[in-house]
Amino acid sequence: FQKKMGIISELFQWIPIGCAAGFVVVTYFYTLEEEWLLKLNNLLSGRIEISKTAFDMYDIKLFGQFIPEIGNGYTVEFRPNYFFLDDSYVRILLEYGVILFVVVLMMFTVIMRQAKNRNDFLLVICVVCLVVQSIMEHHLINVAYNSIMLALFAKSNAIMQIDRR
């Protein structure tokens, strides 16, 4: 089991970068002429189209920028001028900038490597689920919703016991 999970973890450690890069590239090059992109956008509830609008309206900056958003939070009424970046990767890239975007991706890659090195396969699977879900959710860097980020600064019980010896 550990040998197979080690191989899978080796591949999974690159999923944070793959999800982020994949979604940003697909969004940046989104066009109404590609049928598969329209189907993917439909599958993701229009998130690609809204993110593409953000790319068209705002430039990518080193330290980010303010992007006014209008969402449907706390209401059941329809808002015709809805504009809310509901995916973490485009939100981080445009609102917080390239530097934080790279730091966040490096942080999750380090968490994955640390978990893989100490055979913490449950953490690997949790991070994979989190980064895939972040394509459709904007809470990746919100600690109240994502406490997995704290794993970067944590030691597992097994490592602490080895350190004490």
Side-chain angles (χ1 to χ4, degrees), residues 2 9 15 35 41 45 53 59 62 66 71 82 84 92 99-100 109 126 131 133 150 157:
Q2 283 191 343
S9 296
I15 286 182
E35 189 173 327
N41 182 51
S45 305
T53 302
D59 293 329
L62 207 54
F66 175 72
Y82 179 88
F84 188 80
I92 294 168
I99 293 175
L100 186 66
T109 302
C126 287
V131 297
Q133 183 231 10
L150 300 175
N157 286 338

Side-chain angles (χ1 to χ4, degrees), residues 41-56:
N41 182 51
N42 221 11
L43 182 69
L44 296 175
S45 305
R47 284 176 173 87
I48 298 174
E49 186 176 353
I50 292 171
S51 296
K52 174 62 175 171
T53 302
F55 272 124
D56 292 342

